[in-house]
Amino acid sequence: MTTKRQYHIITFGCQMNKADSERMAGILEDMGFEWSEDQYDADVVICNTCSIRDNAEQKVYSYLGRQARRKRQKPDLTLVIAGCVAQQEGETLLRRVPELDLVMGPQHANRLQDLLHQVFDGNQVVATEPVHIMEDITKPRRDSKVTAWVNVIYGCNERCTYCVVPGVRGVEQSRTPEAIRAEMEELAREGYKEVTLLGQNIDAYGRDLPGLTPEGRRENTLTDLLYFVHDVPGIERIRFATSHPRYFTERLIKACAELPKVCEHFHIPFQSGDNEVLKRMARGYTHEKYRRIIDKIREYMPDASLSADAIVAFPGETEEQFQKTMQLTEDIGFDLLNTAAYSPRPNTPAAEWSEQLSEEVKSDRLQRLNQLVNIKAAERSQRYMGRIEEVLVEDENPKDQNQVMGRTRGNRLTFFTGDINQLKGKLVKVKITVVRPFSLTGEVVEVREIVSV
Ligand code: SAH
Ligand code: SF4
Ligand code: F3S
């Protein structure tokens, strides 16, 4: 009996990277490889990397160091670095980690099979040139059987002065509405219930596609896409991320309020509450505009849940400017806010500026903001107490086998007693009995039987 060759993929970074990893896993399985839970047992190891902040990049090097040592004992190990650090560093990685067989940027994820064949022929390969991303024919190997990511636009054409993404992910490339709908229909046939449409700047969707309405409006916007895919039978919930305040429209808000499957959760990073800082970040909006967007959302959907990202200690940020970020956080009351201290990144303008702030200032501001975030999230959670929420069951609670877990429409993680074998993929009405800042516990009121079409 021959045992199959094994692969392992370790993924750092955002949902985009996770989606790429699932596609690469699909390709490897098509090639006859088998998933290995143990990363130190695999014959092919892919490290899919993130470069958003320096600490993310450093994690990659320590991981690669361990695998490189293993390769010295096991020369037939194929070691691959994919994703954003691969794109950023390119060939220099081969000098830094000579044990690497393949360095591949995110745009090359769908080409993995080709690239691996070149490696198996004895080459050390670097694939970082910009390419047109091919429509994918391989089936991804998805982590979940209930919720799935669907890419709608790759890349980013913004030029936020702190950010590596445009450099490493390339220019915007939208998939066609037909391809997106077809993928969702396939997911529904496989039993998936929830889809999250993905793009680094999802509001840019369709900018690169042809088509104008008779009134001269662009035809293929994110809003049009939502209307186009909304009625895919079997898909019960639709989410999307990440939104950019510069392009967020009332038309989109209206569509979300109108379309029952689109969840009332919005992830709209604001980055800073100070107009001068926003300008130097080249974000293209003011805090007033951001507040107007939130007001509009709450006008249409009073209970909508809101999350965002913010950066503290951007070069030159004064204490007063930081206070504006605190003020915005206080005023809006986010359900979740991802915070980070500014990290200078290669090939970005802000990294070159002289007014870099000290580590002390960074960690002090981060701590103060995080404290406020926790208080606000706890306050926001309170509104769920005693309420009946619809939860889509995804998995067992890893800490308690008698419980299952899933998310509310507002994206709050929720636990309740139940059998995963009976409940996986079901929409359950749950009465919330315990609230914590970022999660809830409840009890079953009713399990909705979904009739699959
Ligand atoms: N496309 C999204 C998010 C991109 S990256 C947007 O436009 O908002 C995810 C988050 O990482 C960003 O929202 C930002 O808050 C953070 N981030 C990006 N570059 C950073 C840097 N150089 N230092 C610290 N945080 C950063
Ligand atoms: Fe980065 Fe700005 Fe693009 Fe978001 S919109 S990925 S922060 S450049
Ligand atoms: Fe990181 Fe690349 Fe995503 S830098 S956040 S993995 S786009």
Side-chain angles (χ1 to χ4, degrees):
M1 195 185 90
T2 53
T3 50
K4 278 192 171 182
R5 287 176 301 165
Q6 311 248 305
Y7 75 95
H8 186 89
I9 303 181
I10 177 158
T11 310
F12 300 96
C14 65
Q15 294 164 324
M16 249 59 56
N17 254 18
K18 290 180 184 138
D20 289 348
S21 286
E22 292 185 345
R23 289 209 307 278
M24 292 193 284
I27 294 172
L28 285 162
E29 305 225 332
D30 261 16
M31 290 172 72
F33 285 89
E34 198 169 59
W35 170 254
S36 155
E37 201 52 51
D38 182 354
Q39 51 183 300
Y40 296 113
D41 213 27
D43 307 291
V44 172
V45 170
I46 300 181
C47 179
N48 195 8
T49 61
C50 173
S51 173
I52 202 76
R53 287 179 283 276
D54 187 57
N55 58 0
E57 186 176 341
Q58 295 314 320
K59 270 192 223 159
V60 170
Y61 295 123
S62 61
Y63 183 80
L64 283 181
R66 288 196 296 279
Q67 288 288 358
R69 276 195 295 282
R70 185 161 83 94
K71 179 149 180 169
R72 280 175 236 137
Q73 257 92 68
K74 178 181 159 54
D76 64 343
L77 166 67
T78 302
L79 196 50
V80 180
I81 176 166
C84 297
V85 176
Q87 184 66 37
Q88 177 186 296
E89 299 299 316
E91 282 199 21
T92 41
L93 277 167
L94 297 183
R95 284 197 286 281
R96 189 162 177 166
V97 189
E99 290 82 0
L100 281 168
D101 295 289
L102 170 58
V103 178
M104 55 186 285
Q107 294 189 340
H108 295 261
N110 293 356
R111 297 186 55 223
L112 180 63
Q113 177 160 9
D114 254 18
L115 296 170
L116 277 179
H117 280 306
Q118 293 177 37
V119 169
F120 298 151
D121 287 344
N123 301 298
Q124 206 176 22
V125 181
V126 178
T128 51
E129 69 284 4
V131 288
H132 174 73
I133 298 172
M134 301 299 260
E135 210 24 80
D136 204 0
I137 43 161
T138 319
K139 243 190 181 167
R141 175 190 187 269
R142 302 187 193 257
D143 277 350
S144 164
K145 295 270 167 267
V146 180
T147 67
W149 290 306
V150 171
N151 287 100
V152 306
I153 177 168
Y154 303 102
C156 178
N157 287 8
E158 299 298 304
R159 286 290 173 273
C160 302
T161 51
Y162 51 83
C163 184
V164 289
V165 172
V168 293
R169 291 258 162 189
V171 294
E172 290 167 2
Q173 298 186 40
S174 301
R175 295 175 68 200
T176 64
E178 291 76 19
I180 295 163
R181 190 179 162 106
E183 183 172 352
M184 287 174 67
E185 285 170 349
E186 177 61 25
L187 285 165
R189 278 194 289 276
E190 290 165 28
Y192 285 87
K193 298 289 184 299
E194 181 180 295
V195 160
T196 303
L197 306 174
L198 282 188
Q200 273 296 358
N201 172 8
I202 199 160
D203 301 87
Y205 175 74
R207 283 210 278 217
D208 54 326
L209 295 176
L212 285 179
T213 64
E215 308 85 58
R217 185 177 61 73
R218 196 153 57 79
E219 216 166 28
N220 286 309
T221 63
L222 174 62
T223 312
D224 298 299
L225 180 69
L226 289 177
Y227 282 110
F228 184 69
V229 300
H230 184 259
D231 58 351
V232 170
I235 298 297
E236 302 285 335
R237 284 177 169 186
I238 299 173
R239 303 181 186 278
F240 56 89
T242 301
S243 304
H244 195 307
R246 185 184 231 160
Y247 307 104
F248 206 88
T249 62
E250 184 166 353
R251 201 173 153 254
L252 175 63
I253 299 172
K254 236 173 103 189
C256 297
E258 216 172 272
L259 296 170
K261 292 182 185 176
V262 178
C263 293
E264 303 73 29
H265 167 236
F266 298 88
H267 182 68
I268 320 177
F270 64 89
Q271 313 301 2
S272 166
D274 181 80
N275 289 348
E276 181 55 34
V277 173
L278 284 170
K279 203 157 145 196
R280 294 169 61 245
M281 288 176 162
R283 289 290 288 177
Y285 55 87
T286 57
H287 79 89
E288 288 90 352
K289 162 139 193 216
Y290 188 84
R291 287 168 194 266
R292 281 198 298 276
I293 294 171
I294 303 300
D295 288 347
K296 224 5 127 201
I297 291 175
R298 288 184 165 158
E299 191 184 308
Y300 281 91
M301 290 159 276
D303 192 50
S305 80
L306 296 165
S307 61
D309 305 343
I311 299 175
V312 302
F314 186 69
E317 184 191 70
T318 63
E319 173 63 25
E320 206 186 343
Q321 291 171 331
F322 167 68
Q323 284 302 331
K324 300 269 183 57
T325 294
M326 292 285 278
Q327 191 63 52
L328 189 66
T329 307
E330 171 73 44
D331 293 348
I332 305 256
F334 292 97
D335 295 87
L336 173 73
L337 180 66
N338 305 314
T339 59
Y342 170 73
S343 167
R345 305 308 296 131
N347 312 316
T348 60
E352 309 293 323
W353 298 345
S354 57
E355 335 68 321
Q356 304 291 326
L357 300 180
S358 68
E359 289 307 315
E360 289 71 42
V361 171
K362 285 181 182 177
S363 71
D364 172 58
R365 288 185 188 168
L366 190 58
Q367 223 171 354
R368 282 188 281 158
L369 182 58
N370 283 342
Q371 218 165 24
L372 179 60
V373 168
N374 288 339
I375 294 170
K376 300 310 279 187
E379 278 175 28
R380 289 288 287 169
S381 261
Q382 281 302 328
R383 75 191 198 283
Y384 287 113
M385 193 65 194
R387 252 169 52 173
I388 293 177
E389 285 288 315
E390 180 201 88
V391 176
L392 174 61
V393 178
E394 295 177 26
D395 241 315
E396 196 173 85
N397 177 355
K399 292 191 190 135
D400 181 351
Q401 288 187 358
N402 298 318
Q403 287 193 342
V404 296
M405 62 179 194
R407 287 176 185 274
T408 64
R409 287 176 65 93
N411 213 30
R412 270 281 194 276
L413 195 58
T414 306
F415 305 97
F416 61 92
T417 302
D419 178 356
I420 190 64
N421 298 317
Q422 281 162 21
L423 293 174
K424 193 165 193 157
K426 294 253 163 73
L427 286 164
V428 181
K429 292 230 181 321
V430 176
K431 182 164 186 202
I432 305 303
T433 52
V434 182
V435 299
R436 289 170 297 272
F438 302 104
S439 64
L440 310 167
T441 298
E443 46 202 44
V444 181
V445 177
E446 184 197 335
V447 179
R448 201 181 115 194
E449 286 307 324
I450 304 167
V451 188
S452 291
V453 219

